[in-house]
């Protein structure tokens, strides 16, 4: 396992073809400062360009929190001009995770609130342990979910449910969050990271070309009518049909052996 640090607050660990993006600002429960947002975006840019990475897990080094959202202590010192200047930096962190071309899994325990929950929502799958507490409380401090929450949450739970959760700013404990579909897998306390990495390893055993193309089809096709969605799917199929990975996958199946993916 190798490690690489991006700034002071983000660590990337490599587990073979799985990369773990670790939120590592424990003294602030991973509150996202300007510097941390810039580091998340930088780490995501590096991961997106790395053809050896097949799956990314977003995790936390803090024992009681995934991420508590934006750094409101820093924000309290901002002038209006500072806030305008910081906005694209903050957006870069959330879109960095959202636009990763490979499958992504959030490993959530403890508090995942506001921007912290939005980082999790930006992933394809959310694994949470029984200590998880999630929510989008932004309207309670006079703003709105601005890291994708107003768009990502209704895509998970429907417009009316998302409206209720965002307008009340309420927090949900793990069991209710799982029941309502805010998280996908509920695991025993302390098992979120291990279970997420195990799930990532199962995904990473598959074709990297296939994984990226399937994610592209899922993302681009969402919200389209069926006919348009099937055209998106067909374009993604054409991108993989003549790939070296497809040839290797078919050969390995017929030869009854594990595939050795070229990744192209």
């Amino acid at each position: 396992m190798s490690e690489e640090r991006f700034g002071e607050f983000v660590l990337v660990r490599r587990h073979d073809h799985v990369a773990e993006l670790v939120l590592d600002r424990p003294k602030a429960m991973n509150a996202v400062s300007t510097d941390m947002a810039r580091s998340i975006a930088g780490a995501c840019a590096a991961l997106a360009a790395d053809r050896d990475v097949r799956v990314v897990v977003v995790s936390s080094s803090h024992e009681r929190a995934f991420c508590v959202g934006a750094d409101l202590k820093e924000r309290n010192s901002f002038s209006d001009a500072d806030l305008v200047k910081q906005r694209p930096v903050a957006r870069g962190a959330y879109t960095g995770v959202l636009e990763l071309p490979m499958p992504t899994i959030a490993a959530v325990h403890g508090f995942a609130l506001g921007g912290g929950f939005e980082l999790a929502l930006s992933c394809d799958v959310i694994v949470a342990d029984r200590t998880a507490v999630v929510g989008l409380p932004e309207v309670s401090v006079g703003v709105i979910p601005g890291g994708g929450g107003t768009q990502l949450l209704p895509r998970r739970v429907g417009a009316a449910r998302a409206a209720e959760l965002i307008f009340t700013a309420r927090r949900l404990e793990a069991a209710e969050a799982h029941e309502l579909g805010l998280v996908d897998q509920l695991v025993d306390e302390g098992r979120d990271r291990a279970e997420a990495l195990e799930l990532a390893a199962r995904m990473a055993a598959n074709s990297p070309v296939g994984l990226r193309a399937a994610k592209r089809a899922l993302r681009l096709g969402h919200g389209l009518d069926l006919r348009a969605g099937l055209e998106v799917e067909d374009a993604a199929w054409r991108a993989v049909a003549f790939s070296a990975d497809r040839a290797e996958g078919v050969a390995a199946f017929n030869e009854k052996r594990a595939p050795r993916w070229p990744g192209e």
Side-chain angles (χ1 to χ4, degrees):
M1 182 177 70
S2 64
E3 293 186 352
E4 180 181 4
R5 186 162 286 280
F6 290 81
E8 187 179 353
F9 304 127
V10 174
L11 180 66
V12 172
R13 296 193 183 108
R14 307 297 180 112
H15 310 266
D16 294 323
H17 294 294
V18 174
E20 182 184 7
L21 191 162
V22 185
L23 306 175
D24 188 31
R25 195 187 178 202
K27 291 182 180 178
M29 299 180 84
N30 291 331
V32 181
S33 63
T34 304
D35 284 347
M36 186 174 178
R38 194 173 286 115
S39 296
I40 292 170
C44 288
L47 291 170
D50 190 337
R51 303 299 298 186
D52 197 48
V53 177
R54 299 180 188 173
V55 184
V56 172
V57 171
V58 181
S59 68
S60 162
S61 66
H62 194 285
E63 62 182 15
R64 292 188 295 109
F66 175 73
C67 172
V68 294
D71 186 341
L72 296 185
K73 290 183 179 178
E74 179 189 63
R75 292 274 180 94
N76 193 45
S77 69
F78 279 3
S79 66
D80 288 351
D82 292 332
L83 194 58
V84 169
K85 185 177 179 181
Q86 194 236 16
R87 176 60 176 165
V89 178
R91 285 195 72 186
Y94 302 107
T95 57
V97 175
L98 185 64
E99 294 178 1
L100 282 168
M102 67 286 289
T104 51
I105 304 169
V108 174
H109 59 264
F111 296 110
L113 300 172
F117 187 43
E118 288 173 306
L119 286 173
L121 288 171
S122 297
C123 295
D124 299 303
V125 178
I126 302 175
V127 176
D129 83 355
R130 295 185 183 279
T131 70
V133 178
V134 307
L136 296 174
E138 283 88 344
V139 298
S140 71
V141 293
V143 291
I144 69 164
T150 66
Q151 305 305 304
L152 295 170
L153 188 58
R155 282 167 166 77
R156 276 184 160 267
V157 301
R161 179 73 70 189
E164 181 259 315
L165 294 171
I166 290 170
F167 297 161
T168 61
R170 72 184 180 93
R171 302 178 178 189
L172 291 79
E173 295 190 359
E176 184 181 8
H178 183 240
E179 180 183 350
L180 297 182
L182 278 75
V183 304
D184 302 302
Q185 294 187 20
L186 187 60
V187 300
D188 291 339
E189 181 175 345
R191 291 287 301 167
D192 54 294
R193 177 177 177 267
E195 296 281 354
L197 287 171
E198 182 179 321
L199 177 60
R202 294 205 302 274
M203 293 179 181
N206 297 309
S207 157
V209 171
L211 288 171
R212 290 181 180 225
K215 176 163 179 171
R216 193 162 61 248
L218 283 163
R219 285 285 176 90
L220 294 178
H222 187 93
L224 300 179
D225 66 70
L226 179 58
R227 182 169 295 182
L230 289 172
E231 291 304 315
V232 168
E233 181 182 83
D234 187 63
W237 178 85
R238 290 174 186 279
V240 301
F242 310 105
S243 67
D245 270 18
R246 196 276 308 171
E248 168 60 13
V250 172
F253 177 84
N254 283 294
E255 295 165 17
K256 297 180 171 57
R257 60 173 173 80
R260 297 181 291 271
W261 302 117
E264 58 188 25

